[in-house]
């Protein structure tokens, strides 16, 4: 592409020539660099413009751009580009998450290639190694975001472990510790024997695994109980058997001691209402150190908690099984029980839901462990109240109930992780059991025996502070005053529990009751074209960079936006991206034609009396589209927005208006200048409407059309006014819209008839037009040109007559059609239309059906009836217009 298409200092139409084809690869990188160099995406806290703030959901430093990122970033970029054009001081805050477990795993794998582990390096050297990896290899996603066109404020780029955010983390921890909201306690947690750390409940992936269910006999004689388990190895840690207090079968055993098989221990039978007497045998083994429900029973009955395996899942007790991996021990213990006559029943395979580490996919182990916790009761209530009282709006609204279901039933949050990479917990333990929490400006205690807690914080702790920590908190910065709270949070519904609820709790707590954002706009997940989840194991993942290389970034963005219905998943296939590339080419080619035929933005629009009906129609439709686009943006209806702009640009502007104006442009004269000015106005507004979604092609075309510096900083379109026809809300002309709709009906119907007859698009046909009594007489030249209709000659013979929109088009198809075959075809179509009418009429006349059917179903049937009635009139007219056989 020649550079003259991109010159921001050229005057209007000073370089109307555009290359015949749009080549995205030649301009996208250059345009993005120009936008960044000129500071278009930066935000100034001193500006008197109203603020509009969105934070990026911080991608992991280990990550690369995937379709989910591309989807979410396209939506955020579209919102922020529009708000920038509307005159807001717009901040899209970028940054990355340190991703504790994921990053530590990456670096540990690198060390393993050298035959080393992190323990060989020691904690300090290992953390240095992670920082080195981050500097050399982390953050490649930033460059990929630029490829997509993300308009983020790069000078403000943050990292969840940079100095400022680390200060925020330590400040919040200290405040919550002093307020009694952070405490340390032994609880059952999800433990990953591979990552060697606790995992929060929402980081557990549950899947159906093939396991085994064994029923084991405890005790002897009348002191016998049978329990079933899928984890036989945990029986070594049993400290009771529980039955329901009202279960008469076991009333005589409650309070008695029963021998635990394979051991020299006896355990009590306890009565607990948690037990379901209708399930299984009505008796359950209680292993408080290895099951959350059992732990709760143990707390209620003051039972001992015996840990029987270490952090790697290796058995640590009972000689014969000591040293075995948990799964090896399971088989060995079942074999020993079988040999001892203790196995009552076995079921294999037994499919049941098992928790796995979301990072490494290892089967998790419930484990009693001393961890740090956040007391969430008051925090979660505040997060729920903020939505209930309207301070925060959730979009779409039906997502609110899922949010309430979560925050209203939230358990205390385990925030400690047994890792080395992350925010180390700012607590020091003294030689005599002392505990001191240290703030960012405090000196930690010194002296013999004082050590810092070895755990780090859950990654979501620091990312939960993201809306305000990125703005300089805990300092009261100008950025914080200007850009907090955020205007909207755009994120996937899958992060509702991981991230959104935690930002709500932290924001309300740390910012004195001020919400972190005004609106939460949830989107769905990207899926393949068949609606299947994208997964490497399915072989259906897509690298969006490949599609960007092949079709351009605009095509990928437009495809993603076109599928973005609020809160629902987004199917996407390569064919759809190709179609979006075709749309970008259509925009390019139509603008190129317009520039070659006098489209201009110079001067005011001509007064209404100088505008043709076609001119008035497209300006009226333009204003309707501007209003529609604003409504869809404000309601986060990206799919409807993209569809509306697509059909307006392609169908109404590039097909109908340009085609209908070709005769005017060809003839030249004053009317050609008028239509050229109208076309320039329509293109200017249309390109600005499209820009937030397809920024690159619109920048190239708009700067050429207008000579403006950049469409990025152009004004967002408002409705267009026409001299001599001012009206509230901009110019609208229903009469012109109806007139052109009738013209479109005539052209469409005759084109369809021609196609049905097998006529070539360019084949000319003699025709007689009767346009009397309609407003179409002024369009006869356009009708004849677009339909390839010749004037009738002396030997004209009307072999087909088409009544459409009050007009009649008679065609001489002598020698080109088989009249008998055409009559037969039309009769078949007429019979189908009459059958459709009869079915729809029957349903609408059925009172019982109308009483039960939803309104939308009834509306669809009424629409079908109206269409069928219209088809009958049209087809009967065509049959009547055929010559006699």
């Amino acid at each position: 592409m020649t550079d003259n298409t991109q010159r921001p200092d050229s005057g209007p139409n000073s370089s109307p020539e555009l290359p015949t084809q749009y080549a995205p690869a030649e301009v996208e990188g250059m345009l993005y660099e120009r936008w960044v160099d000129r500071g278009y995406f930066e935000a100034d806290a001193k500006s008197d413009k109203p603020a509009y703030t969105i934070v990026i959901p911080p991608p992991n430093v280990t990550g690369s751009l995937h379709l989910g990122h591309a989807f979410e970033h396209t939506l955020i970029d579209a919102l922020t580009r529009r708000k920038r054009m509307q005159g807001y001081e717009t901040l899209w805050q970028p940054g990355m998450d340190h991703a504790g477990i994921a990053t530590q795993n990456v670096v540990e794998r690198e060390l393993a290639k050298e035959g080393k582990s992190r323990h060989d390096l020691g904690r300090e050297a290992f953390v240095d190694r992670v920082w080195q990896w981050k500097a050399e290899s982390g953050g490649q996603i930033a460059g990929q975001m630029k490829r997509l066109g993300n308009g983020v404020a790069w000078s403000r780029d943050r990292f969840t472990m940079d100095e400022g955010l680390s200060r925020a983390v330590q400040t919040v921890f200290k405040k919550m510790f002093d307020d009694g909201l952070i405490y340390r306690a032994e609880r059952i947690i999800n433990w990953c024997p591979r990552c060697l750390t606790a995992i929060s409940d929402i980081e557990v992936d549950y899947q159906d695994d093939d396991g085994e269910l064994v029923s084991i006999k405890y005790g002897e004689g009348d002191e016998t109980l049978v329990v079933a388990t899928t984890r036989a190895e945990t029986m070594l840690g049993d400290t009771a058997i529980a039955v329901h207090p009202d279960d008469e079968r076991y009333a005589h055993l409650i309070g008695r001691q029963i021998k635990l098989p394979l051991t020299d221990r006896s355990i009590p039978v306890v009565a607990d209402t948690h037990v379901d007497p209708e399930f299984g045998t009505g008796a359950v083994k209680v292993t408080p150190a290895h099951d959350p429900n059992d732990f709760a029973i143990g707390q209620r009955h003051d039972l001992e908690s015996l840990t029987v395996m270490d952090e790697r899942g290796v058995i640590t007790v009972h000689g014969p099984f000591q040293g075995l991996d948990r799964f090896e021990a399971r088989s060995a213990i079942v074999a020993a029980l079988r040999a001892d006559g203790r196995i009552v029943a076995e079921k294999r395979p037994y499919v049941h839901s098992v928790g796995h580490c979301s990072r490494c996919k290892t089967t998790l182990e419930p484990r009693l462990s001393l961890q740090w916790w956040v007391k969430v009761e008051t925090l979660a209530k505040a997060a729920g109240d903020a939505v209930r009282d309207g301070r925060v709006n959730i979009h779409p609204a039906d997502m609110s109930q899922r949010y309430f279901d979560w925050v209203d039933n939230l358990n205390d949050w385990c925030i400690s992780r047994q890792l080395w990479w992350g925010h180390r917990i700012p607590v020091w333990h003294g030689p005599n059991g002392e505990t001191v929490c240290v703030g960012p400006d405090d000196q930690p205690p010194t002296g013999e025996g004082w050590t810092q807690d070895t755990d780090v914080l859950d990654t979501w702790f620091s990312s939960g502070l993201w809306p305000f920590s990125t703005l300089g908190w805990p300092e009261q910065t100008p950025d914080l005053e200007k850009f907090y709270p955020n205007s909207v949070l755009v994120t996937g519904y899958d992060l509702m529990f991981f991230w959104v609820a935690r930002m709500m709790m932290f924001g309300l707590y740390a910012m004195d009751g001020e919400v972190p954002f005004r609106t939460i706009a949830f989107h769905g997940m990207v899926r393949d074209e068949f609606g299947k989840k994208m997964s490497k194991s399915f072989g259906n993942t897509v690298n969006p960079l490949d599609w960007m290389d092949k079709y351009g970034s605009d095509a990928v963005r437009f495809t993603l936006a076109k599928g973005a219905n609020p809160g629902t998943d987004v199917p996407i296939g390569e064919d759809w991206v190709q179609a979006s590339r075709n749309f970008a080419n259509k925009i390019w080619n139509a603008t190129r034609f317009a520039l070659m035929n006098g489209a201009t933005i110079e001067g005011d629009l001509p007064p209404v009396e100088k505008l043709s009906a076609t001119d008035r129609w497209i300006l009226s439709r333009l204003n309707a589209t501007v209003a529609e686009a604003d409504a869809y943006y404000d309601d986060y209806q990206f799919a409807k927005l993209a569809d509306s702009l697509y059909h307006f640009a392609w169908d109404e502007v590039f097909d109908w208006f340009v085609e209908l104006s070709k005769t005017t442009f060809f003839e030249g004269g004053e009317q050609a200048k008028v239509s050229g000015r109208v076309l320039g106005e329509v293109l200017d507004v249309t390109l600005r409407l499209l820009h937030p979604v397809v920024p690159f092609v619109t920048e190239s075309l708009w700067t050429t059309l207008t000579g403006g510096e950049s469409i990025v900083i152009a004004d967002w379109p408002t409705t267009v006014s026409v001299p001599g026809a001012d009206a509230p809300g901009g110019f609208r002309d229903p009469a012109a819209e109806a007139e052109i709709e009738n013209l479109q009906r005539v052209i469409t119907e005759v084109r369809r008839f021609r196609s049905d007859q097998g006529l070539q698009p360019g084949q000319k046909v003699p025709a007689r037009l009767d346009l009397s009594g309609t407003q179409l007489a002024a369009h006869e030249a356009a009708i004849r040109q677009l339909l390839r209709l010749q004037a009738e000659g002396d030997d004209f013979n009307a072999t087909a007559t088409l009544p459409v929109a009050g007009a009649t088009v008679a065609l001489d198809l002598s020698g080109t059609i088989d009249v008998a075959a055409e009559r037969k075809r039309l009769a078949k179509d007429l019979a189908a239309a009459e059958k459709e009418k009869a079915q729809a009429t029957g349903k609408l006349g059925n009172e019982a059906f109308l009483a039960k059917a939803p309104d939308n179903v009834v509306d669809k049937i009424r629409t079908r009836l109206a269409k069928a009635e219209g088809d009958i009139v049209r087809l009967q007219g065509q049959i009547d217009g055929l010559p006699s056989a």
Side-chain angles (χ1 to χ4, degrees), residues 484-498:
Y484 189 89
N486 293 183
S487 306
V488 62
L489 173 72
V490 178
T491 189
Y493 60 69
D494 59 322
L495 290 183
M496 182 184 293
F497 315 132
F498 284 95

Side-chain angles (χ1 to χ4, degrees), residues 184-395:
R184 198 180 190 210
E186 270 197 327
R187 299 275 179 83
I188 292 288
I189 45 88
N190 303 295
W191 181 265
C192 178
R194 158 60 185 82
C195 297
L196 300 180
T197 183
I199 300 293
S200 69
D201 290 344
I202 54 178
E203 292 171 299
V204 179
D205 288 342
Y206 287 94
Q207 66 184 51
D208 288 340
D209 287 357
D210 286 345
E212 62 180 359
L213 180 68
V214 293
S215 298
I216 307 169
K217 182 176 69 173
Y218 284 39
E220 299 290 349
D222 64 351
E223 295 184 349
T224 296
L225 285 169
V226 175
V227 300
T229 181
T230 59
R231 299 163 66 220
E233 68 279 8
T234 63
M235 68 163 292
L236 301 176
D238 287 357
T239 55
I241 293 177
V243 297
H244 194 277
D246 298 331
D247 194 334
E248 294 181 359
R249 293 172 297 174
Y250 305 121
H252 67 290
L253 294 177
I254 294 174
R256 299 175 68 172
Q257 297 281 324
I258 289 185
K259 182 72 182 302
L260 178 66
L262 305 182
T263 73
D264 57 2
R265 291 192 295 118
S266 293
I267 57 177
V269 178
V270 298
D272 197 282
T273 54
H274 169 75
V275 180
D276 181 0
E278 303 298 324
F279 184 77
T281 63
V284 297
K285 58 191 287 301
V286 182
T287 319
H290 293 278
D291 183 274
N293 293 322
D294 293 3
F295 178 77
I297 293 174
Q299 292 284 294
R300 288 192 289 272
H301 297 277
D302 198 24
L303 300 175
E304 184 180 7
S305 296
L306 298 178
T307 300
V308 298
M309 63 183 79
D310 67 13
E311 61 185 11
R312 297 182 184 276
V314 174
I315 301 298
T316 57
V317 298
H318 201 69
F321 312 110
Q322 191 169 357
L324 294 180
D325 171 81
R326 55 186 167 154
F327 300 120
E328 296 173 333
R330 182 175 300 172
S331 298
I333 287 171
V334 170
L337 289 167
R338 189 183 301 113
D340 199 29
R342 293 285 173 178
I343 300 297
V344 176
E346 298 179 66
K347 184 176 181 180
R348 295 188 188 87
Y350 178 72
V351 179
H352 62 130
S353 181
V354 177
H356 295 258
C357 175
S358 62
R359 296 295 181 188
C360 68
K361 309 309 176 186
T362 299
T363 300
L364 295 174
E365 191 65 38
R367 186 170 188 260
L368 185 63
S369 181
L370 183 63
Q371 300 286 343
W372 289 95
W373 302 81
V374 169
K375 189 181 296 182
V376 301
E377 183 179 2
T378 58
L379 302 175
K381 182 181 184 303
D385 290 345
V387 174
R388 286 188 169 96
D389 64 23
R391 283 176 289 156
V392 176
N393 294 309
I394 288 181
H395 188 87

